[in-house]
Amino acid sequence: MEKKIAELVEQYFLIFLSLVALILSFYFIGVNFLIFIAFIPLFYYMNEKKIKGPQLFVYFLFFYGSTLFFINKISVEVKASYLTYIALILFLSTGAYLFFSVFKRGIFRFLQIDDLPLIFILSQLLFEMILENKTLGFPWITAFLPTGVYPAFASVASLFGAYFISLEVYLINYFIYKIIKNAIVMYLQRKVSIPTVVSRKKQILIYLIIIALIFAFNFLWYAFNPYDSKIEKTNISIAVGQPNIPLNFKYRYEFFDLAVSRIQKMTAFARMADCDLVVWPESAIPTYLETKPEILSMLSKLSKSNGIGIIVGTPDMEINNNKVSSFNSAYYFDKQGIYHIYHKIQLVPFGEFIPFADTLKFLRKIAPEAGIDQTFGTLGNPFVLNDKEDSTYYFYPTICFESIFTNIFVKMANNNPSFFVNIVNDSWYDSTFEHEQHLYHNVFRAIETKKMIFRSATTGISAIIDQKGQIIRKLDQGEENIITSKLSIYNGKTFYVKYGWIWIKAYRYFGCLVLLIAILSLLFPKFSTKKFIHKIFKISK
């Protein structure tokens, strides 16, 4: 028995080591740098032991299961929470495993590549991108996320987006693995010929240079990028409020007045600090605001009498032709007391809506409490904020889950807003690492667009993030306070917003072609890639 255990430990030690390092890098406990080496043991095991399908599936299962464990708190009903959690990690693990397996077949048929670590990189990068799908999208756990604590490294996201950072992270792991492998071969094979030694040393040198170039490119862009020299200071001052109303109080009738009065009182403090706008979190008013005319009137008078804009999260409802549409919304009261409404455009699957429920009726029976059939909003014009000299600034609000979707921010940034607002209710997740994971997605959105982000969370973490991705003000979980900052603006569009997304789109098409080739080769054993590509070009002509 002890011998079997020892054999198992020896056999799976590298996979376990990789898994632990990878998981810890997503916990935001000061060891995020592990993301740069976490895949190395896995890559070594892949090439030396020829990893089997079930082993890789279990690897993904433990990885997603550990980094997304907070999902089990999504509902007040324990059974529903764990069912949601299990369904999500099975979906992600199966997806990641299938992408690797099918990609492996397709890339070999297409480009004759059989390097498993390289195939892993190509497949997982595509999987991250595909998870931005509007219906089933959940791009939460991505290789770039742990690097958000290093704004200097993440800086090139303004050129090519956050997925380029993922690619760099994978490649750094890959080239370090190659260095270690070459060094091990040279050490173990003592009778290696001189030409072989020279060749291995040359490869090590090349890999070291590539790694150095990746870091140099990122850090030099951070130090000398031209966008920062064009950032202008303004007279606008913005406050971010954190009312700290716990979830178990929030929806209880007796605490409703407390939530409203706390917002009212702290808005007055923001005005005393000479702020032009105060941001309150998602569902700060935990009822349909349209059904509370007295609160609507109070907020309107509060903004008008104090000359301060107010953003507040609240559910909303519309009735058209006897059809009821429910929205997760942000109300913006401008300085004249007139309110404007933004409806969330990216809903949480199985949280705010049930995908394909109109076609697959049984899904509502399987998950009766998953989603309340909320309606997708549409991207409209940005909101307008005027300073004391009547200069005009534009901004978009985003609600919670939307901050993890780079494509949403690119669409908004194409209208060149001055800044972004992100309102969040993460109070569901208690004291888990979900709060940090969610926060650092905002860091990448700030870098990609070079726009400040003002983030208000019900119980934390609220933050103000500048164009470099630096968190310049922050309220930790459980704090009740407001933070303020002067607005600075980059009046323009980054390379990523203009053109940087093109490589992502092209890579998706490439990935789809590889997957198609893999599927065709499975269905038709005599399938020829060359003939297939020749036919495509012939048809296109």
Side-chain angles (χ1 to χ4, degrees), residues 84 160 380 429 461 464 522:
T84 303
F160 304 113
Y429 304 109
I461 303 170
I464 299 173
L522 283 168

Side-chain angles (χ1 to χ4, degrees), residues 283 312-316 327-331 341-344 399 423:
S283 300
V312 62
T314 178
D316 194 35
F327 301 94
N328 188 347
S329 305
Y331 273 56
I341 307 173
Y342 168 83
H343 298 316
K344 190 176 182 183
I399 302 175
I423 60 173

Side-chain angles (χ1 to χ4, degrees), residues 47-64:
N47 263 358
E48 301 306 312
K49 303 288 186 180
K50 300 299 180 186
I51 195 165
K52 296 176 182 176
Q55 294 171 339
L56 190 59
F57 178 76
V58 171
Y59 180 90
F60 286 128
L61 199 64
F62 274 98
F63 169 57
Y64 286 116

Side-chain angles (χ1 to χ4, degrees), residues 223-270:
F224 301 109
N225 82 76
Y227 301 131
D228 290 340
S229 62
K230 296 178 182 177
I231 293 173
E232 303 170 0
K233 294 181 180 180
T234 74
N235 292 321
I236 290 283
S237 184
I238 298 175
V240 170
Q242 185 167 295
N244 193 35
I245 305 291
L247 189 68
N248 57 340
F249 287 178
K250 192 168 187 176
Y251 296 101
R252 286 166 60 181
Y253 178 77
E254 61 267 35
F255 288 99
F256 180 82
D257 290 338
L258 172 64
V260 174
S261 64
R262 190 167 289 183
I263 288 170
Q264 190 175 10
K265 179 181 70 176
M266 293 173 74
T267 298
F269 289 151

Side-chain angles (χ1 to χ4, degrees), residues 235-240 267 269-278 306-309 335 388 482-485:
N235 292 321
I236 290 283
S237 184
I238 298 175
V240 170
T267 298
F269 289 151
R271 187 66 194 99
M272 288 169 63
D274 202 27
C275 292
D276 297 276
L277 175 71
V278 60
N306 287 285
I308 185 171
K335 292 183 178 181
K388 298 167 186 66
I482 57 172
I483 48 178
T484 66
S485 174

Side-chain angles (χ1 to χ4, degrees), residues 191-406:
K191 294 182 179 180
V192 175
S193 64
I194 292 176
T196 304
V197 171
V198 172
S199 174
R200 295 283 179 179
K201 286 184 176 179
K202 278 184 179 179
Q203 288 182 40
I204 289 173
L205 182 60
I206 290 169
Y207 297 142
L208 284 170
I209 290 171
I210 294 172
I211 293 170
L213 286 174
I214 291 173
F215 280 102
F217 174 57
N218 290 32
F219 293 145
L220 287 172
W221 180 253
Y222 178 79
F224 301 109
N225 82 76
Y227 301 131
D228 290 340
S229 62
K230 296 178 182 177
I231 293 173
E232 303 170 0
K233 294 181 180 180
T234 74
N235 292 321
I236 290 283
S237 184
I238 298 175
V240 170
Q242 185 167 295
N244 193 35
I245 305 291
L247 189 68
N248 57 340
F249 287 178
K250 192 168 187 176
Y251 296 101
R252 286 166 60 181
Y253 178 77
E254 61 267 35
F255 288 99
F256 180 82
D257 290 338
L258 172 64
V260 174
S261 64
R262 190 167 289 183
I263 288 170
Q264 190 175 10
K265 179 181 70 176
M266 293 173 74
T267 298
F269 289 151
R271 187 66 194 99
M272 288 169 63
D274 202 27
C275 292
D276 297 276
L277 175 71
V278 60
V279 183
W280 294 107
E282 177 187 19
S283 300
I285 306 293
T287 188
Y288 292 98
L289 199 51
E290 290 281 10
T291 66
K292 297 284 184 179
E294 69 280 8
I295 300 177
L296 262 178
S297 177
M298 180 272 291
L299 289 170
S300 180
K301 288 177 182 176
L302 187 65
S303 61
K304 186 175 182 179
S305 61
N306 287 285
I308 185 171
I310 301 172
I311 290 246
V312 62
T314 178
D316 194 35
M317 186 183 294
E318 290 179 2
I319 302 176
N320 292 311
N321 299 323
N322 295 322
K323 183 183 177 182
V324 179
S325 298
S326 179
F327 301 94
N328 188 347
S329 305
Y331 273 56
Y332 168 51
F333 295 82
D334 63 26
K335 292 183 178 181
Q336 287 71 46
I338 301 168
Y339 68 85
H340 314 263
I341 307 173
Y342 168 83
H343 298 316
K344 190 176 182 183
I345 62 177
Q346 178 62 58
L347 301 178
V348 182
F350 297 101
E352 294 175 317
F353 80 107
I354 302 175
F356 316 116
D358 292 335
T359 306
L360 306 174
K361 308 286 186 185
F362 67 90
L363 287 174
R364 295 193 193 282
K365 295 179 181 178
I366 294 174
E369 78 150 30
I372 53 175
D373 283 335
Q374 290 190 339
T375 306
F376 285 87
T378 55
L379 181 63
N381 295 321
F383 292 156
V384 179
L385 177 66
N386 295 320
D387 66 9
K388 298 167 186 66
E389 284 78 38
D390 217 27
S391 296
T392 302
Y393 301 90
Y394 300 93
F395 71 97
Y396 273 109
T398 57
I399 302 175
C400 199
F401 187 60
E402 292 177 323
S403 67
I404 72 172
F405 287 81
T406 179

Side-chain angles (χ1 to χ4, degrees), residues 173-189:
N173 277 270
Y174 178 74
F175 290 125
I176 295 176
Y177 149 70
K178 285 286 191 180
I179 291 168
I180 293 171
K181 183 181 177 182
N182 277 288
I184 289 173
V185 168
M186 289 170 58
Y187 177 77
L188 293 180
Q189 297 180 4

